Amino acid sequence: TKIIPLMFQITDFPKWSILPEDFACVTYVNEYKSAVSVITSHNEDTFFLDKDKVFNIGAIISFRRGIKMSKQNNIIIDVLNPIKCNKEHALQVFKQCIVAVDRVNIEKSLFHVIMENNLTGHVIRFADTELRPKVGDLLKLTYCIRTNNKGKKMLIVIDLQFTDEANEKLIKD
C-alpha cells in the first residue's frame, strides 16, 4: 500500500514527541565506532550512535521508539532522542520478580538466585550490585533479558533490593 500525503503542516511539537516513549539499559559501548548497544524494557536488543559519548554501561535511558524495516524485512527498533533518565522513574517499566538466594560464593564474588517463574536459577556477580545477601534472603529483582546469537538468555540486572515480600512459589515443601 502506497501512502500519498495530501497536506503537510509544521507544528510546534518537540522533535519525535508523537512517538511512544520507552526505556532501555545500556549493555555495551563501542567507543571507536561511537555505537551504544541497549536492551529495551521489552527485551529487544538494538543500538544507536552516540557522537557525544555521554552514555556508559549500566545507564538507564529514555528514548522515543521508532520502527524501521531492514532489507531482509526484519523489524529494527530505532532509538530516537536518547537521554539519561532517573533510574527510579524507569524501574516501573522493566520486569520485576521476587528471587531467593540459594548459594553465595565469596571466593568467586557471586551469588545464585532462584526466580519465581519456573524456578530457574541465575548467577549475579557482586560487581553488578552493592548488596551482599546471605542464603535464604529474599530480593526484589528488576531485570531485562538479552538473547545472544545462539539463543542463550542472559539476565541483565537493572536493580536489586532486599524485600520482606514473601512468594509461595519459592518455598519448598
Side-chain angles (χ1 to χ4, degrees):
T1 306
K2 188 174 182 180
I3 298 174
I4 301 172
L6 299 177
M7 184 173 75
F8 286 109
Q9 185 175 4
I10 297 175
T11 66
D12 294 333
F13 294 136
K15 241 178 152 181
W16 311 114
S17 64
I18 64 168
L19 295 175
E21 183 180 33
D22 202 355
F23 296 90
C25 177
V26 176
T27 56
Y28 179 74
V29 177
N30 184 331
E31 293 187 15
Y32 178 72
K33 295 182 179 179
S34 299
V36 177
S37 178
V38 296
I39 300 291
T40 69
S41 60
H42 305 287
N43 298 329
E44 298 160 325
D45 199 0
T46 188
F47 73 96
F48 63 94
L49 296 178
D50 178 26
K51 300 281 187 211
D52 300 330
K53 299 183 180 180
V54 296
F55 300 105
N56 300 322
I57 293 175
I60 304 297
I61 65 166
S62 70
F63 65 95
R64 295 297 174 164
R65 181 185 186 92
I67 296 177
K68 293 193 284 190
M69 295 294 284
S70 69
K71 291 180 182 177
Q72 295 82 21
N73 287 332
N74 295 331
I75 294 175
I76 299 171
I77 305 302
D78 199 8
V79 177
L80 302 167
N81 195 26
I83 55 172
K84 284 185 182 180
C85 75
N86 187 353
K87 193 178 214 179
E88 286 74 30
H89 179 64
L91 287 181
Q92 306 306 319
V93 181
F94 288 95
K95 292 182 181 180
Q96 295 182 344
C97 71
I98 305 297
V99 297
V101 178
D102 69 337
R103 285 185 298 239
V104 177
N105 190 330
I106 303 295
E107 293 82 30
K108 293 184 179 178
S109 300
L110 56 86
F111 57 96
H112 188 266
V113 296
I114 299 292
M115 294 179 73
E116 61 188 5
N117 44 353
N118 301 332
L119 293 178
T120 55
H122 291 279
V123 172
I124 298 177
R125 303 194 183 287
F126 287 165
D128 294 339
T129 180
E130 295 178 7
L131 298 181
R132 300 298 177 257
K134 299 183 203 92
V135 173
D137 285 345
L138 293 176
L139 305 170
K140 187 174 192 175
L141 173 68
T142 305
Y143 66 98
C144 57
I145 295 176
R146 168 181 239 164
T147 306
N148 68 8
N149 296 341
K150 297 176 184 174
K152 184 177 178 184
K153 295 182 178 182
M154 292 178 11
L155 184 76
I156 307 291
V157 176
I158 306 291
D159 189 49
L160 195 62
Q161 300 172 355
F162 286 108
T163 186
D164 293 330
E165 295 178 42
N167 189 334
E168 301 299 323
K169 296 177 185 175
L170 294 174
I171 299 174
K172 286 186 178 180
D173 293 331

